[in-house]
Amino acid sequence: MTDLLKINNLQIDFEIPRGVVHAVRDFSFSVRPGTIVALVGESGSGKSVTAQAIMGLLPAKARITGGEILFYEPNYWGEPIDLAKLKPESEQMRSIRGRYISMIFQDAMASFSQLHTIGDQVSEALFLHGNVSRKEGMEQTERMLDLVGFPNPADALGLYPFELSGGLRQRAMIAMALVCRPSLVIADESTTALDVSVQAQILKLIKDLRQELGLAVLLITHDLGVVANLADEVVVVHQGKVMESGTIEDIFGDSRHPYLKALFSAVPQFGMKDNQRLVPVTDIDFELGPLISDRQPWPEEANDDRPMLEVKNIYKSFRTRKGSFFGTGKQTVVEAVKDVSFTIKRGECFGLIGESGSGKSSVSKCIMRAYSPDSGMILFNDRGNIVDLAGLREKDLYPYRPKIQMVFQEPFSSLNPRMTVFDVIREPLVIHKVGDAASQREIVMELMRAVGLDPRFLNRYPHSFSGGQAQRIGIARALALKPDLIVFDEPVSALDVSIQAQVLNLMRDLQEELGLTYLFITHNLAVVDYVADNIAVMCQGRLVEMAPHSSLFKSPIHPYTRALMAAVPFADLHHPLDFEALMDGRMSDPAAWPGPFTVDPSNSQGSSLDFIEVDSEHFVLASSEFSGERVLRSVS
Amino acid sequence: MITYLIRRVLLMIPTLLVISLLVFIIIELPPGDYIESYIAQLEAQGEQANPELLNFLRQQYGLDKPAYERYFGWVTGMVQGDFGFSFEYRMPVSEVIGDRLLLTILISIATIMFTWIIAFPIALYSATHQYSWGDYGLTLLGLLGLATPNFLLALIMLYFANVVFGTSIGGLMDPEFLDQPWSVDKAISVLEHLWVPVVVIGTAGTAGMIRRLRANLLDELGKHYVTAARAKGLPGYKVLIKYPLRVAINFMVGDIGHLLPSVISGAELVAIVLSLPTTGPILIAALQSQDMYLAGSFLMFLSMLTVVGVLISDIALTFLDPRIRLEQGADR
């Protein structure tokens, strides 16, 4: 046997109060030394459970009920060992775990103890498995940190995890998994929680390390873009079964299994035609009733070209007091939003993209007036009446509250678990005293049908729904008061791709049928390209570029937008990631942008920069000497 | 760190000032003063008080002065080490308290140690064997401990010690050492008696501690970093010791501030039942007879003990927890 890992007919069951769930049924696949095998599937497909079984880290309720996990490492043992037969806490299993097979987890912050230094935690496995002296071990640890790209590995040894940036934490975790030079590393969604720019760097790192250390990697992910850029072989799993497996060329070039085909057509791609629709694995049938779709028409004189919402030069900063334990502490001012202006036309979907910490959510909260902007105007078109929401007091805001509604990122945490779905959707109607109990019930039933859910489920609680259904409940709640503008804050980033397609399509259909205006906030560029008409890009509190979706992604001008584009992994073998274009992770540092885009960090107002129109409706943040035509020519 | 220490110590001054004010107000709240309750006491015994003597006493102790003057007199006196004069005992407060305060501190510290030593392994077992029979049994025992009033437990122990062993476990030392200067034999005798009040006072605290520690450990055990540590191949007990227990120690140290007041106030009743020579009985007697300087100074000492205890636990935490030590001014 030349396979490093060979899984034959693996079966894993979970005991739950109501019986037994077969989480993994008849899995078979193998990993050869030095290759990257991707285990692709959606949540609940059994991919993470398989990884836990290999590591001997299954939860207490799970049991391996059949099959074998053969691990063959000539340096360790002359013949293959069946890991499925080993007791998880046995000495033999422990001598393999961490030494020959290790794991990179999803959430680096949670996977480090905050009370132990990086050096301590990274070196731990080394001292456990290897017979090394303290000094030698720390040197090896330092070299490993150097290898994963720590700028000052010697200093990093003494740091605590919370002192590192997200990207460095992820690198430290990779170092922790690799410090014993294992022959197999399991990467469980290890880039899913990261921003695209950091994700691209980590992907590059995994690729480089594979070469350097001769690693085999079992990559567990649901992101086909990541798979296309890293994997040699692909195993597609669905509901505990292997659907299809083969080399990456086979799978991506000629996917035969309907599930995989469905998965591909559910992923938004760049440059889809405006009328092209995503094809979800299962479609949602929805039905609009008169109680929702009968909307008061706009008065005749209001039917002009004035925009739905106009945000003008808003600023928002936050004061934080750190280390108050040590006395007064140092007060820091974080400028979350700096001079942001944009307009949302009536009936369009306006996309706002940016990485975590870019200030995009702060902008949405200013529009919702959950925050009050420090300065600037938020002009809302209330059917011909232009109101500045930024200047209104809480009491005066009340009549405008129903007209702008919001859908949140985490479907479950935005629904009260102690309220039935009926109460959840009805709550806005109660707050704004719409109709009596009987008519409210009618409206709620209609809303359920409008998002494709059966009104018979109204008495259930949110936890009995899937993530996608819960998000649709959130949309139904947002529709209850017949708003004109809906703010979507990362509405699909917590959902699997096939569910994501369902929800995106539903959103598009509702917008069309009801004539709604959307503000769509996300960090996923392909998603925003699919739903949005106009897109603005935010970085470090500033808007850097704004354009119609067709021209933004075809001819991005601002270096940040370009770097962002370059960092998106495509689910397409002919379009691999260009790792050279990543600017070494400095792309989100305004001071590192080349002229004429450089932002002087000492000049926090950024007043020397202007929003310059380089093409029709295509704006970019640059200094005034910037000539749009020249750049456009150089781009094309 | 030094500036932090200085700042924290300076912060204790206004804290103690506020406490002293509250203590004074509470002691002044009941109508009358010591002299009046003294007269009442005399009259109850059928004697007549000498009005001249009473007036003299009033002047002597400053009871005729307005309240704020007495307050300032008391506070400034305390700063200089003069804690006032006990009416009841007719001697300076510091002499009345002396040994008793020392013994109170001794019992408090011993009780906290006892709480930790008992609670720690039990909580550890309960957390690692969640929902097992052992966990349920220990939980039941803990809840019993939590629900049993201290003084009742003290009475039961007194009774059984007498019936079964034929000894009296009241007091903190054998009678022959009472009012004797400190010696090795006396210290041994104190240690022999110490365990009874410590067990009695500690029981309730231990039960509460087990519950809190168990919940805390269970939280930690479910965290990803524990799985990550197991993924390195660490055996279960090493994972437990290095990670969740390490976190739990922070929690225990942080809990001192919570434990001290309850230990001290729980000790008062027990001290009466077991007739311990600690501050408890004397404090209650002083409050009843409105022996205000004695009561006030006692309360101040106990507050001081608590405030210092909290300070010590805070300082220990900064050493134990890098998040507290380092996150100051961290830029995220």
Side-chain angles (χ1 to χ4, degrees):
Chain A
M1 163 176 159
T2 52
D3 290 333
L4 181 64
L5 183 79
K6 189 165 173 56
I7 293 184
N8 291 323
N9 311 97
L10 183 67
Q11 291 190 33
I12 300 170
D13 288 351
F14 273 77
E15 280 170 40
I16 59 165
R18 275 168 292 167
V20 174
V21 175
H22 306 291
V24 170
R25 288 176 284 181
D26 208 16
F27 261 31
S28 300
F29 65 89
S30 54
V31 181
R32 283 177 291 118
T35 56
I36 299 185
V37 176
L39 204 54
V40 183
E42 299 182 274
S43 41
S45 59
K47 56 190 196 311
S48 289
V49 179
T50 307
Q52 288 166 347
I54 298 169
M55 293 292 289
L57 292 175
L58 280 174
K61 291 192 176 77
R63 262 179 319 120
I64 299 177
T65 50
E68 45 191 8
I69 304 171
L70 296 175
F71 179 67
Y72 177 55
E73 164 57 70
N75 294 332
Y76 174 66
W77 206 256
E79 54 193 271
I81 307 165
D82 185 1
L83 301 181
K85 299 268 185 314
L86 294 181
K87 282 209 169 62
E89 286 304 318
S90 67
E91 204 166 318
Q92 194 175 17
M93 187 72 223
R94 279 193 281 109
S95 68
I96 296 173
R97 193 195 297 154
R99 170 63 188 90
Y100 293 102
I101 309 178
S102 65
M103 195 157 175
I104 306 169
F105 294 88
Q106 176 169 4
D107 185 349
M109 187 68 181
S111 302
F112 277 111
S113 157
Q114 301 302 311
L115 300 178
H116 298 83
T117 59
I118 293 290
D120 179 6
Q121 296 183 70
V122 172
S123 65
E124 193 172 20
L126 203 57
F127 292 120
L128 189 74
H129 297 290
N131 213 350
V132 291
S133 69
R134 180 100 212 132
K135 187 162 163 286
E136 207 179 320
M138 285 330 257
E139 276 170 14
Q140 282 189 34
T141 308
E142 199 181 313
R143 276 202 298 279
M144 186 49 75
L145 288 176
D146 187 38
L147 194 63
V148 298
F150 264 78
N152 298 309
D155 299 341
L157 291 175
L159 292 179
Y160 289 92
F162 57 83
E163 295 179 278
L164 300 178
S165 68
L168 276 185
R169 261 201 300 270
Q170 200 71 23
R171 284 168 192 270
M173 191 155 69
I174 293 173
M176 185 159 82
L178 298 184
V179 74
C180 284
R181 311 267 169 149
S183 33
L184 175 67
V185 172
I186 302 173
D188 189 359
E189 301 277 10
S190 30
T191 59
T192 308
L194 303 172
D195 279 324
V196 276
S197 56
V198 182
Q199 167 173 288
Q201 293 168 39
I202 298 293
L203 294 182
K204 179 177 189 305
L205 177 66
I206 294 177
K207 217 168 175 143
D208 293 349
L209 289 174
R210 189 262 295 253
Q211 298 262 302
E212 204 146 336
L213 307 178
L215 271 176
V217 181
L218 181 60
L219 187 71
I220 294 175
T221 183
H222 65 266
D223 188 336
L224 292 170
V226 169
V227 175
N229 278 285
L230 269 189
D232 304 311
E233 285 167 39
V234 183
V235 180
V236 183
V237 293
H238 181 51
Q239 295 188 340
K241 288 188 205 145
V242 174
M243 296 282 115
E244 195 166 0
S245 60
T247 64
I248 182 99
E249 289 82 11
D250 285 348
I251 297 286
F252 275 69
D254 175 28
S255 54
R256 294 205 184 86
H257 199 279
Y259 172 71
L260 190 61
K261 281 187 185 164
L263 217 52
F264 270 113
S265 44
V267 182
Q269 309 277 351
F270 281 111
M272 288 173 76
K273 293 188 186 66
D274 281 353
N275 54 3
Q276 198 180 349
R277 269 175 81 90
L278 294 176
V279 187
V281 177
T282 49
D283 227 329
I284 304 173
D285 288 323
F286 71 98
E287 173 194 340
L288 286 173
L291 292 173
I292 309 167
S293 49
D294 281 359
R295 304 174 139 246
Q296 211 163 356
W298 285 50
E300 200 58 45
E301 65 274 16
N303 273 325
D304 47 27
D305 291 342
R306 280 182 295 175
M308 187 76 229
L309 186 84
E310 202 171 345
V311 174
K312 277 187 173 172
N313 311 90
I314 59 168
Y315 284 84
K316 177 74 194 167
S317 55
F318 296 98
R319 281 182 181 77
T320 51
R321 234 174 229 284
K322 280 271 167 63
S324 58
F325 194 85
F326 283 78
T328 56
K330 200 173 72 186
Q331 184 168 307
T332 44
V333 178
V334 180
E335 286 192 298
V337 180
K338 293 173 219 166
D339 196 15
V340 166
S341 311
F342 56 84
T343 37
I344 304 179
K345 297 192 200 96
R346 240 178 89 187
E348 81 163 338
C349 175
F350 186 86
L352 190 58
I353 55 178
E355 299 184 283
S356 46
S358 62
K360 56 191 194 303
S361 286
S362 298
V363 169
S364 76
K365 283 174 185 156
C366 285
I367 293 170
M368 296 297 296
R369 274 301 305 275
Y371 296 159
S372 297
D374 299 338
S375 65
M377 287 197 286
I378 298 168
L379 301 174
F380 178 69
N381 183 350
D382 181 27
R383 316 212 153 192
N385 255 340
I386 307 290
V387 222
D388 180 12
L389 298 178
L392 292 183
R393 280 173 306 170
E394 187 56 42
K395 179 162 57 79
D396 304 320
L397 270 172
Y398 186 75
Y400 301 103
R401 291 277 186 210
K403 297 173 195 286
I404 309 179
Q405 290 289 304
M406 189 154 182
V407 176
F408 301 88
Q409 173 171 13
E410 292 283 335
F412 288 108
S413 56
S414 62
L415 301 175
N416 186 337
R418 287 176 187 79
M419 281 163 80
T420 62
V421 170
F422 175 74
D423 290 327
V424 166
I425 302 180
R426 178 169 167 247
E427 196 176 27
L429 301 170
V430 175
I431 292 171
H432 286 275
K433 303 185 184 69
V434 179
D436 54 15
S439 71
Q440 283 174 357
R441 180 154 202 103
E442 289 296 307
I443 297 174
V444 172
M445 308 239 309
E446 223 183 277
L447 283 166
M448 280 293 268
R449 283 193 287 268
V451 293
L453 290 172
D454 193 329
R456 282 177 303 174
F457 296 159
L458 276 175
N459 288 329
R460 296 194 185 173
Y461 287 87
H463 67 82
S464 60
F465 293 87
S466 70
Q469 289 171 330
Q471 195 57 296
R472 274 141 69 189
I473 293 168
I475 295 176
R477 175 177 59 185
L479 287 174
L481 294 168
K482 299 188 183 179
D484 288 323
L485 175 67
I486 302 183
V487 178
F488 290 91
D489 193 352
E490 303 266 15
V492 293
S493 55
L495 306 177
D496 278 327
V497 278
S498 64
I499 307 298
Q500 168 178 307
Q502 275 183 357
V503 173
L504 289 177
N505 281 347
L506 176 73
M507 286 171 52
R508 260 174 50 154
D509 294 341
L510 288 171
Q511 181 183 23
E512 205 166 297
E513 300 276 341
L514 302 174
L516 299 168
T517 308
Y518 285 169
L519 170 59
F520 192 99
I521 296 166
T522 183
H523 68 274
N524 188 324
L525 278 71
V527 164
V528 81
D529 185 37
Y530 177 61
V531 292
D533 304 303
N534 285 295
I535 299 170
V537 183
M538 260 189 106
C539 179
Q540 305 273 327
R542 293 184 182 84
L543 279 193
V544 295
E545 193 162 1
M546 183 160 61
H549 77 112
S550 49
S551 61
L552 182 72
F553 290 128
K554 238 175 249 147
S555 51
I557 292 170
H558 197 278
Y560 177 71
T561 318
R562 289 178 173 199
L564 213 53
M565 289 286 297
V568 177
F570 287 89
D572 180 357
L573 293 181
H574 307 295
H575 197 313
L577 272 178
D578 179 9
F579 290 115
E580 305 309 314
L582 294 177
M583 286 178 71
D584 296 332
R586 296 182 64 211
M587 61 188 245
S588 48
D589 176 10
W593 294 334
F597 306 102
T598 323
V599 173
D600 182 6
S602 59
N603 182 358
S604 67
Q605 302 291 311
S607 54
S608 61
L609 298 181
D610 272 324
F611 237 50
I612 296 169
E613 184 160 12
V614 287
D615 199 0
S616 78
E617 298 192 18
H618 190 153
F619 298 87
V620 68
L621 187 73
S623 64
S624 44
E625 70 253 35
F626 174 73
S627 147
E629 288 75 26
R630 194 175 41 125
V631 167
L632 263 189
R633 236 178 287 123
S634 75
V635 164
S636 57
Chain B
M1 194 63 207
I2 304 290
T3 48
Y4 166 65
L5 268 181
I6 293 170
R7 200 178 286 135
R8 277 303 305 262
V9 172
L10 287 180
L11 256 177
M12 284 170 61
I13 295 171
T15 312
L16 286 172
L17 267 180
V18 170
I19 294 174
S20 72
L21 191 62
L22 286 175
V23 163
F24 190 81
I25 290 172
I26 290 168
I27 292 173
E28 285 280 305
L29 272 181
D33 53 28
Y34 174 71
I35 305 300
E36 272 167 36
S37 50
Y38 182 58
I39 298 171
Q41 206 184 336
L42 287 180
E43 279 174 351
Q45 292 164 357
E47 290 176 31
Q48 271 296 322
N50 181 353
E52 273 177 36
L53 173 68
L54 292 179
N55 269 334
F56 171 73
L57 280 176
R58 272 216 168 85
Q59 276 172 14
Q60 182 77 22
Y61 299 140
L63 286 178
D64 53 344
K65 290 190 194 138
Y68 66 89
E69 268 185 49
R70 273 179 288 141
Y71 172 69
F72 282 114
W74 178 54
V75 170
T76 47
M78 266 198 298
V79 173
Q80 293 154 8
D82 171 15
F83 295 93
F85 196 84
S86 165
F87 308 132
E88 185 100 36
Y89 291 83
R90 303 273 154 93
M91 55 176 163
V93 169
S94 47
E95 278 175 39
V96 182
I97 299 177
D99 267 7
R100 287 175 178 259
L101 197 69
L102 186 75
L103 288 170
T104 304
I105 294 173
L106 184 68
I107 287 190
S108 299
I109 291 174
T111 307
I112 289 177
M113 295 304 229
F114 169 82
T115 309
W116 280 351
I117 290 167
I118 301 295
F120 209 82
I122 293 181
L124 197 60
Y125 179 86
S126 274
T128 48
H129 298 77
Q130 194 192 7
Y131 301 142
S132 68
W133 282 108
D135 179 27
Y136 284 131
L138 289 168
T139 301
L140 181 72
L141 215 64
L143 288 177
L144 277 179
L146 202 61
T148 315
N150 276 341
F151 62 87
L152 187 68
L153 193 62
L155 282 176
I156 293 171
M157 286 187 86
L158 271 182
Y159 175 79
F160 278 106
N162 231 329
V163 170
V164 180
F165 303 112
T167 55
S168 165
I169 54 169
L172 257 187
M173 57 197 86
D174 289 332
E176 68 254 33
F177 294 113
L178 283 176
D179 296 324
Q180 298 295 313
W182 280 94
S183 64
V184 175
D185 286 345
K186 180 170 173 174
I188 291 172
S189 173
V190 166
L191 285 179
E192 275 172 2
H193 282 76
L194 192 64
W195 68 272
V196 180
V198 163
V199 168
V200 171
I201 301 165
T203 318
T206 307
M209 183 81 161
I210 290 174
R211 301 308 296 164
R212 289 195 298 275
L213 203 55
R214 175 178 176 271
N216 207 286
L217 276 172
L218 277 177
D219 274 0
E220 293 301 324
L221 282 174
K223 292 208 170 141
H224 288 302
Y225 70 83
V226 175
T227 317
R230 284 180 59 208
K232 292 174 190 167
L234 280 180
Y237 70 93
K238 273 197 182 165
V239 173
L240 193 68
I241 290 170
K242 181 161 179 187
Y243 296 102
L245 269 192
R246 177 66 186 70
V247 177
I249 285 174
N250 284 10
F251 165 76
M252 281 171 56
V253 171
D255 212 40
I256 295 178
H258 178 263
L259 218 54
L260 261 180
S262 70
V263 164
I264 291 169
S265 59
E268 311 300 10
L269 276 177
V270 177
I272 292 173
V273 173
L274 291 177
S275 62
L276 301 178
T278 56
T279 55
I282 220 174
L283 171 62
I284 289 172
L287 284 171
Q288 278 169 344
S289 63
Q290 296 191 334
D291 191 350
M292 57 168 290
Y293 290 121
L294 183 57
S297 300
F298 256 142
L299 290 175
M300 279 314 292
F301 275 129
L302 298 182
S303 314
M304 185 86 173
L305 196 62
T306 311
V307 173
V308 170
V310 172
L311 177 71
I312 290 172
S313 92
D314 282 358
I315 291 171
L317 271 185
T318 60
F319 282 107
L320 284 172
D321 195 331
R323 282 169 295 187
I324 298 172
R325 189 167 66 238
L326 296 172
E327 251 183 5
Q328 172 196 30
D331 210 26
R332 286 215 207 180

